[in-house]
Amino acid sequence: MSQTSPPPPVLPAATAGEVLALIRSGQAATRGALARATGLSRTAVNARLTALADAGLVLEGAEESATGGRPATTLVLNSAAGLVLGVAVGRSRSQLSVCALDGTELASVSLDQETGQGPDVLMPLVVHHLDRMLDELGRSGDDVRGVGMSLAGTVDPAQAMSVDSPALTGWDGVPLTPYLREVTGAPLTLDDDMRVMALSQMPTAGADVAPTVHEHDEALVLKASTGIGLAIVADGRLVRGHRNAAGQLGHVKVPAAEGLRCRCGETGCLETVASGWALVEQLRAAGDDVHHVRDLVAAAGRGNGRARAVVRDSGRHIGEALAATVTVLNPRTVVVGGDMAGAFDTFSAGLREGVFSATTALAGRDLQVVPAAYGDRAGLVGCVRLALDSVLSPRAVDTALARQSFRA
């Protein structure tokens, strides 16, 4: 009896949202390329493009050169179809941004704030500046499609609130969406500052800075600033942990910190010997005029020997704590962000010393230690990408089209 091959699997037809994702990423920029990428007929491709064009999401661009025949018209995301807001809240500084749908920044502001400000004090100030920037651009909250926001510590994305943040007093358990309703009814996407920083390091279409974390990469993204945190990237994806609390490196117990009280209430945490707040306390006790980790980093940059020594020691302590993770996960890259990256050469020298003295030769053989792309704006860039990925995901676009709620 002759055997017959099983029929090929039936693939689900690409949706309009998936078609937009191909256009947005640059993977397919013409009708023909979309048909080849999706397996859809030209008629089906045109139907999806019509829905996207009617919603103001897709425009026809320049004609693409072709060998023989009529040139194909390229398709582009309509960056003017809406806005997204980025809000990166830190312990002593918050950064805000208004961006077009292609990520182009239209306005931004950096707000220095007193440490310990709760949401009832800080969030109205954030809303005021977002509203002011929109007004200066001649836009309103109705133009906003989404808000991406980050907080230090563990967050609950579903409830859009902090659940465990030693760095931000009074924020735990406070929903943040009601505050933003004063400026826009657009959805809020919340994540912690470490993973948002990691998001800014990954490749994205149209980025003007080369990524430090590549597609399908294994990497660790370290935020060394007032506090210490770690984002873990496995096969190009962020690792969140069972309770969304992966990466709390600053509260790993280390021998050098034995008996030292941490701001989290425990003793022996890495932060007590390596974080910005601890190093500032150490230098102030020695008579140095420093009030923030940025002052410390600036002093190190000016050649202050004591500042350079504590920055290098910080890197070494963190490297020793990180060595086991490097050995177990075998990342290709450790990306250094946060304020301590402002003294990258000094800090990374200590970090390398700590990691390579305690990891295996194989795990350390090809390991790269590099500064974060976008410098001190990495967190803000990540917040914008968080909003864009949420608003322009295939599912979000398809839902908006079904509700006819996405209009330029």
Side-chain angles (χ1 to χ4, degrees):
M1 179 181 291
S2 63
Q3 293 183 340
T4 58
S5 300
V10 177
L11 300 177
T15 67
E18 289 165 336
V19 167
L20 181 64
L22 290 169
I23 295 171
R24 182 186 170 213
S25 67
Q27 294 176 264
T30 65
R31 286 171 172 80
L34 287 168
R36 290 189 294 274
T38 62
L40 295 172
S41 68
R42 297 281 289 220
T43 300
V45 167
N46 285 333
R48 285 153 178 76
L49 289 175
T50 296
L52 292 169
D54 288 347
L57 286 169
V58 168
L59 296 174
E60 291 189 350
E63 291 186 339
E64 187 179 75
S65 60
T67 304
R70 190 172 66 180
T73 301
T74 59
L75 301 156
V76 296
L77 170 71
N78 180 13
S79 62
L83 304 170
V84 293
L85 308 179
V87 180
V89 173
R91 185 168 181 258
S92 61
R93 179 178 60 181
S94 295
Q95 296 170 300
L96 317 176
S97 181
V98 180
C99 293
L101 288 188
D102 63 354
T104 299
E105 187 173 83
L106 305 176
S108 66
V109 67
S110 180
L111 307 175
D112 290 328
Q113 67 217 33
E114 292 184 14
T115 58
Q117 285 188 343
D120 283 345
V121 174
L122 184 58
M123 287 304 296
L125 185 61
V126 166
V127 166
H128 167 74
H129 282 280
L130 291 174
D131 203 33
R132 175 187 58 78
M133 288 190 289
L134 287 171
D135 186 60
E136 290 175 354
L137 291 168
R139 309 294 288 270
S140 73
D142 292 338
D143 298 317
V144 177
R145 305 304 180 194
V147 183
M149 183 173 178
S150 68
L151 296 176
T154 304
V155 304
D156 181 344
Q159 300 296 321
M161 64 185 183
S162 171
V163 294
D164 184 18
S165 177
L168 297 173
T169 306
W171 289 70
D172 292 352
V174 179
L176 299 174
T177 299
Y179 292 101
L180 292 167
R181 287 286 179 262
E182 296 296 319
V183 67
T184 179
L188 168 64
T189 306
L190 180 71
D191 212 334
D192 70 46
D193 56 347
M194 303 170 298
R195 281 191 282 271
V196 164
M197 176 177 286
L199 189 62
S200 74
Q201 305 305 299
M202 297 179 178
T204 189
D208 55 356
V209 175
T212 61
V213 178
H214 301 282
E215 190 175 2
H216 303 301
D217 218 348
E218 317 292 335
L220 301 175
V221 180
L222 172 70
K223 183 176 183 182
S225 194
T226 302
I228 301 167
L230 187 71
I232 303 166
V233 180
D235 193 27
R237 297 176 179 272
L238 288 167
V239 175
R240 295 187 171 277
H242 171 56
R243 291 189 176 273
N244 206 48
Q248 300 297 317
L249 181 67
H251 302 287
V252 169
K253 301 299 187 285
V254 296
E258 184 177 359
L260 298 178
R261 178 70 61 180
C262 181
R263 60 183 179 175
C264 72
E266 299 286 337
T267 59
C269 296
L270 174 64
E271 280 203 4
T272 63
V273 293
S275 69
W277 66 264
L279 301 185
V280 167
E281 287 183 3
Q282 183 179 333
L283 284 192
R284 285 175 63 84
D288 288 274
D289 184 23
V290 294
H291 303 277
H292 189 274
V293 63
R294 291 190 288 275
D295 301 331
L296 166 64
V297 168
R302 293 192 299 269
N304 181 305
R306 191 152 46 215
R308 288 174 60 85
V310 298
V311 167
R312 181 167 182 138
D313 285 347
S314 169
R316 178 173 52 79
H317 286 306
I318 293 173
E320 290 170 352
L322 203 58
T325 305
V326 169
T327 302
V328 171
L329 297 182
N330 186 211
R332 185 180 70 90
T333 309
V334 175
V335 181
V336 178
D339 287 318
M340 297 291 267
F344 178 77
D345 289 345
T346 302
F347 179 82
S348 64
L351 184 74
R352 290 185 177 96
E353 178 187 347
V355 168
F356 290 120
S357 68
T359 193
T360 65
L362 183 60
R365 181 178 300 170
D366 301 316
L367 184 67
Q368 304 174 41
V369 179
V370 301
Y374 299 102
D376 64 357
R377 288 174 54 83
L380 183 59
V381 171
C383 287
V384 171
R385 291 193 184 175
L386 187 68
L388 289 172
D389 287 347
S390 175
V391 172
L392 296 178
S393 71
R395 177 178 294 181
V397 170
D398 290 332
T399 299
L401 291 178
R403 295 175 178 169
Q404 297 186 334
S405 58
F406 215 129
R407 288 291 182 272

